[in-house]
Amino acid sequence: MKLILRLLLNALAVVILSYVLPGVGVDSITTAIIVALVLSILNFVVKPILVILTLPITIITLGLFLLIINAIIILIAADFISGFHVTSIWWAIIFSLLLSFLQSILHSILKEDKKK
């Protein structure tokens, strides 16, 4: 149940950001749920491989290259999903930063409700 709720919160964050950012678009809420699911899978499978392969450049840039890795994962998801599009890597970086921020806010609200 918690996994489904987190997935729906991530989909809500994707929808909100698609309205705010002009370089990111999502066709429907169903597409947003699919985007949230695909991003979760890519972050679980592909991201650790990319982090290991790019470890030297990540160390040299003091971790800033992880922003590029996140943008690449978002662009990969945009290639897989037909109703989700990101126009450039710059929009993918901004989307990645704002998505992380919005997800942390939404998940912290969820944790506060469970404590009461």
Side-chain angles (χ1 to χ4, degrees):
M1 183 67 177
K2 185 178 178 182
L3 180 66
I4 294 171
L5 191 57
R6 288 178 62 99
L7 185 68
L8 291 176
L9 285 176
N10 292 344
L12 177 66
V14 169
V15 168
I16 290 170
L17 288 176
S18 71
Y19 283 116
V20 173
L21 298 175
V24 178
V26 178
D27 289 345
S28 66
I29 189 69
T30 307
T31 306
I33 293 171
I34 294 169
V35 168
L37 182 64
V38 169
L39 283 177
S40 299
I41 293 169
L42 288 174
N43 280 328
F44 184 72
V45 175
V46 176
K47 188 173 181 178
I49 296 168
L50 288 176
V51 169
I52 289 172
L53 290 175
T54 61
L55 192 60
I57 195 166
T58 303
I59 292 172
I60 290 171
T61 62
L62 302 175
L64 289 176
F65 194 74
L66 291 173
L67 293 173
I68 304 299
I69 291 174
N70 287 339
I72 290 170
I73 289 175
I74 289 170
L75 290 172
I76 290 171
D79 286 341
F80 284 149
I81 303 165
S82 62
F84 175 60
H85 61 84
V86 181
T87 57
S88 69
I89 194 160
W90 297 109
W91 284 116
I93 290 171
I94 294 169
F95 180 78
S96 169
L97 288 171
L98 292 177
L99 184 66
S100 298
F101 180 70
L102 195 56
Q103 284 175 344
S104 65
I105 290 172
L106 290 174
H107 292 295
S108 69
I109 292 170
L110 177 68
K111 286 181 183 178
E112 287 180 10
D113 289 343
K114 284 191 171 188
K115 288 181 182 179
K116 292 182 181 179

